[in-house]
Amino acid sequence: MTYVEESWNWRGARIREVFLEAADTVAALLAEPAVAAAWEKPGALRDFSVGGLAAHTVWPELALPDLLARPLPEEPVVSLREYYVERVTWLDAGVDGAVNIRIRRGGEATAADGHEVLVGRAREALERLRTALPEAPAVRPVRMPSWGDWSLGLDDFLLTRLMELVVHADDLAYGVGLPAPDFPERVTAPVVDLLARLAVRRHGPVNVVRGLARAERAPGSIAGI
């Protein structure tokens, strides 16, 4: 596993492997009876039902197979650092920001067909990805049309989605009274690394160091997102 500071990423085939592993764990969580039973109840995040949050959580699995099946995008590829620092709008928009309202509505719409349908879609997408990800070129841009006129490298894209899977799997499990998935270190290490960098972006290095090492001088939060 090689860490490349310039792109904030853990590169090579390993990020593809750990994404599939995390997606498989999240698909199993999604299929839990407790998730089905609470589908229309409020979830752990404000203004998200359990079903809407579940749909948002597995969105990476649902979207990626079709993205990889499209022709290579011609839009410029931005680095992961540029993506988070200059491109994304949800990160600093707040819960009531228009972009985050749109994200929640998208999750609820995706969940509208019910638990069983979403479980089936997630399993189908994951099976497609087991073939598509290993076969994808080492350098392969990916573009979400709704994001803008730019692309991310596939491995960078997968790291952003891996973070979403790990963070929202905890949200989903907590909201229905299940223990958080026990992801192995090979899954959590790149996520923790990325969240630490986002925490520095938001709070500055001194506050993050204090939050991790000096409880007596720690700020109230060093949350990265």
Side-chain angles (χ1 to χ4, degrees), residues 147-164:
W147 286 0
D149 293 330
W150 44 271
S151 304
L152 276 175
L154 174 58
D155 290 348
D156 285 339
F157 181 88
L158 289 175
L159 180 55
T160 71
R161 301 308 99 195
L162 181 68
M163 186 262 282
E164 297 274 346

Side-chain angles (χ1 to χ4, degrees), residues 7 9-20 60 63-69 72-73 76-80 83 129 131-144 147 150-162:
S7 68
N9 202 350
W10 300 58
R11 289 216 175 259
R14 196 60 178 275
I15 191 67
R16 304 181 188 198
E17 294 172 4
V18 298
F19 175 84
L20 288 172
L64 190 53
D66 288 338
L67 292 179
L68 292 176
L72 292 179
V77 177
V78 303
S79 70
L80 195 60
Y83 167 74
L129 288 174
T131 300
L133 282 181
E135 292 181 351
V139 179
R140 205 286 187 198
V142 175
R143 177 176 179 259
M144 280 292 297
W147 286 0
W150 44 271
S151 304
L152 276 175
L154 174 58
D155 290 348
D156 285 339
F157 181 88
L158 289 175
L159 180 55
T160 71
R161 301 308 99 195
L162 181 68

Side-chain angles (χ1 to χ4, degrees), residues 92-111:
D92 298 318
V95 175
D96 295 319
V99 62
N100 286 320
I101 292 173
R102 186 166 63 250
I103 288 170
R104 292 195 294 272
R105 287 175 177 170
E108 298 298 337
T110 303

